[in-house]
Amino acid sequence: GYLLFEQILHLLLIPGLDMTRVVITRFILRIKLSKPDKNHMHHRLLKKFNNHTTLGIIFLFICPLNILSIYFLDYIYLMILINIIIYLVAIKYTYSK
C-alpha cells in the first residue's frame, strides 16, 4: 500500500499545471500573484458549463489515467504526457468562444 513518486506526480499534475499557468500569466501581465481572479481552469469551465458538468470534466481529467497508472506502471510517463496534452487542449477550448 504505497504510491510511487510518479503516481503522486500524476495525481497532482492537473492542479499543478493549472497553478503554474496562472502564475506565469499573472507574471507576464504584471498582476499581483496574491490578487484573486477567475483564470483557473475550473472557473473557465464554469463559464461554459454548469457545476455538475465542470466537476465531471475535472474528474475525467484526473481519475481514469491515474487509476490506469496503478496497474500499468511501465506506461506512467506516457499517461502523464497524455494528461498534459488533454489539459492544454481543454485550456485552449476554454479560451475559444
Side-chain angles (χ1 to χ4, degrees):
Y2 63 91
L3 293 174
L4 300 174
F5 168 77
E6 290 86 355
Q7 291 170 314
I8 295 169
L9 173 70
H10 201 198
L11 282 170
L12 299 174
L13 183 68
I14 297 297
L17 282 174
D18 194 48
M19 177 190 64
T20 303
R21 180 189 58 83
V22 170
V23 166
I24 290 171
T25 302
R26 289 178 184 179
F27 183 75
I28 290 170
L29 298 175
R30 299 179 192 264
I31 299 171
K32 286 179 62 172
L33 294 179
S34 60
K35 183 179 179 186
D37 65 6
K38 300 276 186 187
N39 198 23
H40 288 279
M41 184 175 71
H42 60 279
H43 291 126
R44 303 195 63 77
L45 288 171
L46 282 168
K47 287 181 183 178
K48 293 193 175 267
F49 304 106
N50 64 31
N51 290 346
H52 293 276
T53 304
T54 297
L55 185 60
I57 290 169
I58 292 171
F59 178 82
L60 287 174
F61 282 160
I62 296 172
C63 291
L65 290 174
N66 279 302
I67 291 169
L68 287 174
S69 73
I70 294 170
Y71 299 105
F72 301 103
L73 287 175
D74 295 337
Y75 299 103
I76 193 162
Y77 291 111
L78 176 63
M79 291 183 229
I80 288 171
L81 179 63
I82 291 169
N83 247 4
I84 291 170
I85 292 168
I86 291 170
Y87 172 78
L88 294 173
V89 168
I91 288 299
K92 174 70 174 160
Y93 172 76
T94 61
Y95 277 101
S96 64
K97 291 188 179 191

